[in-house]
Amino acid sequence: MPAFQTPQGSIYFEQRGSRADPPIVLIHGLGCQIVHWPDTFIEGLRSEGFRVVMLDNRDAGLSFGNGKSTPEIAQLIQALEDPDAVDPPYRLADMADDVAHLLDHLGQSGAHLVGVSMGGMIAQYVALNHAERVFSLSLLMSSTGNPDIPTPAAEVVAALGTTVVSPTRAESIEAARAANRIFGGPYFDSCEVGIGRFVEIAYDRASRPNGVRRQLGAILSDGDRRSMLATVEIPALMIHGDQDPLVDQFGSVDLAETIPNSRLRIIEKLGHDLPEPLIPQILQEIVTHIREHPAPR
């Protein structure tokens, strides 16, 4: 099994492409595993001449967990308004350290980072704390942590909540499918063309609802990152959908206004998902950005 040890525990990873090709590290979102990356997305990057490296974040998939403490649902709800309401066992910055350890394990001086949602927040901390390891940033459906960013509607929060409390396999899978359909927005059925397709395989590979709660605690407790992000000099691309019900598109607008060397792309009909019909457009934006900012030699 392709895994390596960090000081905290074992991280599972996979990679595709030649070692001689420039590396891209994909960092996924809340509760997501390597199997949530659409093959067309991975192969689209690989076919453009990049080595694609993916990891299961801590507390997801086959990577280590942290069972010291798990935030209660009530604490997480309260943390939507007050980040101090939850004290998670680890922070987004700790998850960023896992990415740096991955680069160490691979013997890579650095990589282009592509982060989705929570993965985009983790990538921000790699850029903040390990700037010399980041060639470029592509942040999808992410945000700055600005408290003025509109929060999700009540039914969206409720859908997120059902994914961490459903007790049986059948109920968990159904709840995850229903949630992904909501997150994916009105134009594309996530269970047909988005990451909702992978719910069953992900559950059978590793069902870790307590890990999702701890990851969510890391997100909600993090607070406003704008003052730190204003110092980032790494070229950054923000991609967001105009139909995202989970992370408002103002999150990426705010990122683009905060990080000096950045640009923003709003994609019509895109929700909080990676639907097949829009993957070519997303890939084109990412590949163009990376080619404009090649790895230093």
Side-chain angles (χ1 to χ4, degrees), residues 81-155:
E81 301 293 336
D82 176 15
D84 293 332
V86 62
D87 183 20
Y90 53 83
R91 304 283 175 167
L92 292 174
D94 298 316
M95 303 177 82
D97 290 343
D98 295 338
V99 177
H101 288 308
L102 171 62
L103 295 175
D104 291 340
H105 175 76
L106 296 172
Q108 292 291 155
S109 63
H112 301 280
L113 302 186
V114 176
V116 172
S117 194
M118 179 187 73
M121 302 171 196
I122 295 169
Q124 292 168 35
Y125 271 108
V126 183
L128 287 167
N129 298 338
H130 309 279
E132 73 283 357
R133 315 296 297 272
V134 184
F135 303 151
S136 73
L137 287 169
S138 295
L139 308 177
L140 284 63
M141 316 166 204
S142 197
S143 77
T144 59
N146 180 349
D148 292 332
I149 294 172
T151 55
E155 61 270 21

Side-chain angles (χ1 to χ4, degrees), residues 44-102:
L45 294 172
R46 189 197 61 77
S47 67
E48 290 288 342
F50 298 103
R51 177 160 57 113
V52 183
V53 183
M54 304 155 282
L55 76 159
D56 283 334
N57 291 315
R58 62 169 70 186
D59 258 334
L62 305 182
S63 290
F64 79 96
N66 190 321
K68 292 180 180 178
S69 62
T70 301
E72 299 294 334
I73 298 296
Q75 290 177 299
L76 295 172
I77 293 173
Q78 186 178 354
L80 288 169
E81 301 293 336
D82 176 15
D84 293 332
V86 62
D87 183 20
Y90 53 83
R91 304 283 175 167
L92 292 174
D94 298 316
M95 303 177 82
D97 290 343
D98 295 338
V99 177
H101 288 308
L102 171 62

Side-chain angles (χ1 to χ4, degrees), residues 19-38:
R19 183 171 175 78
D21 292 335
I24 296 175
V25 174
L26 303 183
I27 313 172
H28 226 317
L30 177 68
C32 287
Q33 309 175 40
I34 285 173
V35 296
H36 286 102
W37 290 110

